[in-house]
Amino acid sequence: MTLIEETVAAIAPLDEAAMRDARDHQVRLTKPPGSLGVLEELSVRLAGLAGRCPPPLPEPAAVAVFAADHGVHAQGVTPWPQEVTAQMVANFLAGGAVVNAFAAQAGAVVTVIDIGVATELDAAPGLLRRKIAPGTADMTAGPAMTMDETRRAVETGIQVARELGTGNRCLITGDMGIANTTASAALIAAFTGLPPERVTGRGTGIDDATHAHKIEVVRTALTRHGLLEEHGKEPLEVLAAVGGLEHAAIAGFVLGAAALRVPVVLDGVIAGAAALAAAALCPDALGGCVAGHRSAEPGHAAAIEALGLRPLVDLELRLGEGTGALLALPLVQSAVRVLHEVATFDSAGVSEKDAGRP
């Protein structure tokens, strides 16, 4: 049995008894039933993930920023030079990026995983050097990855989830890779069947002409690999054809966390694309996934809708790095803290609503 097969076999559905207990407990708390809206259902789902009510508080938390380069960059889909990927990794490790500021505020630790940065990176605190290849190939000219590279990247994501899941009770996806929104759009189109123009956004803020070109690049890649509309390809085949090394690793990260029954807060469009791959490999892996936010990228809205996830924050963010997920982390923690700390009507001596009155 491969590591991927072993991990998928370890993923179980949400525990229905624990979810019933959580719903019953929510009704007894000193507040009107349903008054915490989405947070109530989130607490129920996390109880189902843990198999008990209340579930463990989702803290401490760890952010895994998977970094990789993309061969499709050669097609001119972004004005940013490819070396920015490695430069931003150095910025993460120095503590100077937005993800670092948001993580410090949320009390989360940032770990950067070099899964496929084109530049060779020196060892540094906070960096896991797990490079599968120095970036992907150009997906418009052939497969972005070999099947072996794809499997190894997924397995690396599983291993990182196991490492960070020891001592942390919440995992957060992050990413870095110039041109990764192009690969994300291709993956989302392939997994949802939506046309490229519906799921391809402006990434780092490209102009109209570059955006139109980017859409055609995505269409070219999908056509080349037979991924438009109904295609019948296996999830790993789709990842290999048009995905990134970080997409494959994040898909594995989601699977690994699900096997550990540790919640994962997903960031934006890159995480959404990777979660589609994880769900295609094992639908039950979604049980512990939380959509931290809704990105301004159109593909992200399509991805989380296909996944059936409700985003907690909608601030028109499109930075990546794990920033949107980190902003949502206190909401996830608050949802569970309610089950731990809010008094029931009986324990607080508060009168409940008269059942005979409207």
Side-chain angles (χ1 to χ4, degrees), residues 122-249:
D122 294 331
L127 175 66
L128 298 180
R129 294 191 295 177
R130 306 289 171 84
K131 197 191 304 287
I132 304 298
T136 56
D138 183 353
M139 66 181 179
T140 66
M145 296 176 281
T146 66
M147 287 299 293
D148 179 63
E149 288 169 343
T150 305
R151 291 190 187 94
R152 288 167 56 206
V154 173
E155 289 172 349
T156 299
I158 292 170
Q159 292 163 346
V160 171
R162 290 179 174 182
E163 292 173 32
L164 296 184
T166 301
N168 291 293
R169 293 194 175 274
C170 187
L171 300 178
I172 296 169
T173 70
D175 62 86
M176 181 62 218
I178 296 302
N180 62 9
T181 60
T182 304
S184 298
L187 285 172
I188 293 166
F191 281 117
T192 65
L194 292 171
E197 60 270 21
R198 284 277 306 277
V199 299
T200 305
R202 294 179 181 269
T204 50
I206 54 179
D207 59 22
D208 289 345
T210 306
H211 183 223
H213 172 64
K214 182 178 177 181
I215 291 170
E216 291 311 308
V217 167
V218 171
R219 193 187 316 279
T220 297
L222 293 169
T223 301
R224 179 180 184 89
H225 300 289
L227 294 174
L228 284 172
E229 300 176 356
E230 295 295 328
H231 53 73
K233 304 279 189 181
E234 293 296 320
L236 292 181
E237 293 178 307
V238 177
L239 276 170
V242 298
L245 288 156
E246 77 271 52
H247 293 102

Side-chain angles (χ1 to χ4, degrees), residues 2-358:
T2 67
L3 179 57
I4 297 173
E5 292 168 338
E6 172 193 318
T7 303
V8 168
I11 297 172
L14 297 178
D15 187 298
E16 294 292 340
M19 293 172 72
R20 282 195 301 273
D21 289 346
R23 289 192 183 99
D24 290 344
H25 191 66
Q26 283 282 1
V27 170
R28 297 197 301 273
L29 298 179
T30 49
K31 61 178 182 57
S35 58
L36 290 180
V38 173
L39 295 186
E40 292 192 19
E41 188 53 37
L42 175 57
S43 73
V44 168
R45 195 150 58 84
L46 294 183
L49 179 69
R52 61 186 175 90
C53 177
L57 288 168
E59 52 190 64
V63 189
V65 181
F66 292 91
D69 279 303
H70 295 260
V72 75
H73 180 273
Q75 295 300 317
V77 292
T78 172
W80 293 85
Q82 193 169 66
E83 55 264 29
V84 169
T85 301
Q87 292 167 353
M88 281 303 299
V89 167
N91 193 25
F92 298 149
L93 297 173
V98 178
V99 66
N100 302 107
F102 286 2
Q105 177 175 267
V109 174
V110 176
T111 299
V112 182
I113 302 92
D114 173 9
I115 193 73
V117 179
T119 305
E120 199 60 42
L121 303 177
D122 294 331
L127 175 66
L128 298 180
R129 294 191 295 177
R130 306 289 171 84
K131 197 191 304 287
I132 304 298
T136 56
D138 183 353
M139 66 181 179
T140 66
M145 296 176 281
T146 66
M147 287 299 293
D148 179 63
E149 288 169 343
T150 305
R151 291 190 187 94
R152 288 167 56 206
V154 173
E155 289 172 349
T156 299
I158 292 170
Q159 292 163 346
V160 171
R162 290 179 174 182
E163 292 173 32
L164 296 184
T166 301
N168 291 293
R169 293 194 175 274
C170 187
L171 300 178
I172 296 169
T173 70
D175 62 86
M176 181 62 218
I178 296 302
N180 62 9
T181 60
T182 304
S184 298
L187 285 172
I188 293 166
F191 281 117
T192 65
L194 292 171
E197 60 270 21
R198 284 277 306 277
V199 299
T200 305
R202 294 179 181 269
T204 50
I206 54 179
D207 59 22
D208 289 345
T210 306
H211 183 223
H213 172 64
K214 182 178 177 181
I215 291 170
E216 291 311 308
V217 167
V218 171
R219 193 187 316 279
T220 297
L222 293 169
T223 301
R224 179 180 184 89
H225 300 289
L227 294 174
L228 284 172
E229 300 176 356
E230 295 295 328
H231 53 73
K233 304 279 189 181
E234 293 296 320
L236 292 181
E237 293 178 307
V238 177
L239 276 170
V242 298
L245 288 156
E246 77 271 52
H247 293 102
I250 293 172
F253 189 68
V254 169
L255 294 174
L260 294 171
R261 303 192 82 81
V262 172
V264 176
V265 186
L266 303 173
D267 196 39
V269 67
I270 287 80
L276 286 170
L281 288 164
C282 180
D284 283 334
L286 285 179
C289 288
V290 180
H293 76 119
R294 187 197 309 276
S295 166
E297 285 285 301
H300 187 233
I304 57 177
E305 181 178 351
L307 293 167
L309 298 177
R310 174 81 174 265
L312 297 181
V313 175
D314 190 348
L315 297 173
E316 301 179 7
L317 306 177
R318 53 179 175 84
L319 177 58
E321 302 179 5
T323 51
L326 278 165
L327 288 176
L329 177 61
L331 297 177
V332 179
Q333 294 168 334
S334 295
V336 175
R337 193 169 291 279
V338 166
L339 293 177
H340 280 264
E341 298 183 7
V342 175
T344 62
F345 284 102
D346 286 343
S347 67
V350 175
S351 298
E352 297 188 55
K353 172 184 171 183
D354 187 339
R357 292 189 176 186

